[in-house]
Amino acid sequence: MMTDSHSPKAYAAGRPSRPVNDSIREVYPGAVLNISKDMASVFQLKRKYERTPSMLDLTPPFQREKVWSQKQKNELIESIIMGIPIPVFYVKERNDGVYVVVDGKQRLTTLFDFIDNKFALRNLSILTEYENVTFDSLSPLDQNKIEDCTLTINVIKPPTSDRVTFDLFDRVNRGGTRLNNQEMRNALYQGNATRLIDRLAVKPLFIEATEKAARPRHMKDRLMVLRFIAFYMWREGLSYDLETGTILQYRSNIDDFLGKTMAYLNSLDENDPLLASLEKMFDRTMADAVRYILPLGGFRLPSTSDKKRRPLNMSFFESLGYLMAIHPMRSEKAAARLYNKLLSDPKYLLSITKSIDSINQINMRFDCVAEIFDKIKKV
């Protein structure tokens, strides 16, 4: 969970940590980590947040933690009035300059709400004389203490890769529920990409084709949709790497690949025909999946036991789905022949069960699908 894992009572002591760059490089030697330290007052950040459009994103979709209690809010304001230092904040800077708050949402929300007189201080453990005090009823000196409080912000900047960014996010937030990479991607790449994926993930045909097993919890449904769209675009030469200005290449780094796909979709005009064509293709493919594939067993590998069905296989979904997208199914008989051929091909089964995100396995499964389809057409 991207949450304030800091206890307000521990502000004075802080939290020991190793240098970020050294920690990252131990895991990813040679990895690029562009992180800078910034300083800003509470007042400056509030202005940044209140701009139109806002330059401070406090509500990315991965933020699902409970709102701070009144006691936690009181302790934060009390700590600042007493002059106790506040731990560092972490933000990810998007290409448009917007700061996505990674660690510090609850602290900033509390500060902004208090300045806007949305709550009063109650049951303070130390500054008992501030009972029922709102921001406007504070002395000018105390108001200045809050608005002028200087916050230290670690800003993660491009070209830090998604893989390194995700690892850093995880390290920063070890105290809470860990997020998966799709939840982080969904926060970092807001725009056409997330709007398209959100629409597709709730379509009844997709939900039926995946047997309600691609659950919204932890965005498993969004990940399946994104992978399907990303690999379709890649195979069709429709996605571009904005950093190089060339057609996007897959280099066995799934996080980098999916992030660059989303970045490219976000770079398009919201009325770009590609966005509409992707949605139309998705609808048609899911309709064929429900009609032809679901009765055969869906996107699950055959069970080795009579007791339990195997889970959805994303690689099966995206590769067979790609074939249906470019070659719509014509009949139940043809679909059954293709389906059974795939599930009896050792190379294909290996490609969707082992090292599934390596370029060799990805090429193998898409090539197997194409080869088997060509053989069936000739019969």
Side-chain angles (χ1 to χ4, degrees), residues 279-321:
E279 185 163 358
K280 183 177 180 181
M281 174 277 297
F282 186 84
D283 289 343
R284 187 183 67 247
T285 303
M286 291 305 104
D288 279 356
V290 169
R291 180 177 179 182
Y292 298 113
I293 302 303
L294 202 54
L296 300 172
F299 298 101
R300 303 175 189 265
L301 298 183
S303 178
T304 55
S305 168
D306 294 334
K307 296 180 180 179
K308 188 175 181 180
R309 292 196 305 165
R310 298 176 73 173
L312 288 176
N313 186 294
M314 283 198 296
S315 300
F316 191 14
F317 175 78
E318 65 208 22
S319 54
L320 179 54

